[in-house]
Amino acid sequence: MEELENGSNKQLQSFNPSTFESLKSATKYLPKGALWYDFWTGKQYKGGQNVTLTTRFNQVPMFVRAGSILPLGPEMQYVGEKQWDDLEIRLYPGADGEFSLYEDEGDNYNYEKGYYSNIIFTWTDRTRTLHISARQGGYKGMLLQRQFRIVLPDGTTRTIDYNGNQVTVKL
């Protein structure tokens, strides 16, 4: 315990760094009618049940519904700090899904004038196919070439070089 002086008031404050590492138990209900994936482990669960997990303070229990397409980019403190030229796209099989990757300049209202781009990702579960549409639209300074790292919960990974043209990937 550390004693801090705050003006004329003395305040006791305690902090235990081991709290971040200590294991906790959390129970979550997963809505029925869908398959769910543990975000951290990729383990699949059937909906309509309570699931108890062991977790840490810095690893909040999160579940992703089957059919979701989840983009993960670099951690940034402000718009434009880093390029989004290498995005991780997580696919969660078990249902069809669609995601729209919308991008604009990020620091003005030019999107109101139509200066933005859109790329549609469509997952067809039956054929295990990801369709990435041709880029629609554009804006000054946008990335013309980029990579998408497609990642499935079982660890399967494919890297796709994307130049704005339609791409179909069988996984």
Side-chain angles (χ1 to χ4, degrees), residues 10 12 18 38 56 58 68 76 85 128 151 161 163:
K10 288 189 177 183
L12 292 178
S18 66
D38 180 320
R56 290 178 162 53
N58 63 347
S68 295
M76 294 193 297
D85 56 349
R128 294 185 59 83
V151 180
D161 292 317
N163 62 9

Side-chain angles (χ1 to χ4, degrees), residues 3-4 12 14 22-23 30 34 41 49 59 83 128-129 132 151 164 166:
E3 194 171 327
L4 299 174
L12 292 178
S14 66
S22 63
L23 297 174
L30 301 176
T41 67
Q49 65 174 328
Q59 208 172 56
Q83 289 285 345
R128 294 185 59 83
T129 305
I132 305 171
V151 180
Q166 175 181 316

Side-chain angles (χ1 to χ4, degrees), residues 34-86:
L35 294 174
W36 296 89
Y37 289 88
D38 180 320
F39 176 83
W40 302 106
T41 67
K43 183 176 178 183
Q44 190 180 84
Y45 295 90
K46 236 180 141 173
Q49 65 174 328
N50 284 311
V51 176
T52 301
L53 300 174
T54 301
T55 187
R56 290 178 162 53
F57 179 80
N58 63 347
Q59 208 172 56
V60 176
M62 293 190 292
F63 292 90
V64 184
R65 187 181 181 130
S68 295
I69 301 171
L70 182 64
L72 299 176
E75 185 176 311
M76 294 193 297
Q77 300 298 316
Y78 57 88
V79 172
E81 177 188 7
K82 298 174 187 169
Q83 289 285 345
W84 286 55
D85 56 349
D86 181 19

Side-chain angles (χ1 to χ4, degrees), residues 18-30:
S18 66
T19 303
F20 289 101
E21 294 302 316
S22 63
L23 297 174
K24 303 288 182 194
S25 180
T27 301
K28 301 294 174 196
Y29 176 76
L30 301 176

Side-chain angles (χ1 to χ4, degrees), residues 69-74 76 83-90 97-104 115-122 130-139 142-143 145-150 160 162 164:
I69 301 171
L70 182 64
L72 299 176
M76 294 193 297
Q83 289 285 345
W84 286 55
D85 56 349
D86 181 19
L87 288 179
E88 181 175 315
I89 306 294
R90 291 193 185 178
E98 186 172 285
F99 167 75
S100 176
L101 178 60
Y102 168 91
E103 297 177 295
D104 61 28
Y115 297 108
Y116 61 87
S117 74
N118 204 20
I119 302 169
I120 310 295
F121 293 74
T122 306
L130 177 66
H131 174 79
I132 305 171
S133 75
R135 181 186 305 114
Q136 302 158 359
Y139 59 92
M142 74 178 206
L143 290 170
Q145 307 274 332
R146 67 183 339 149
Q147 287 188 328
F148 295 124
R149 279 180 295 111
I150 313 302
I160 307 301
Y162 182 79

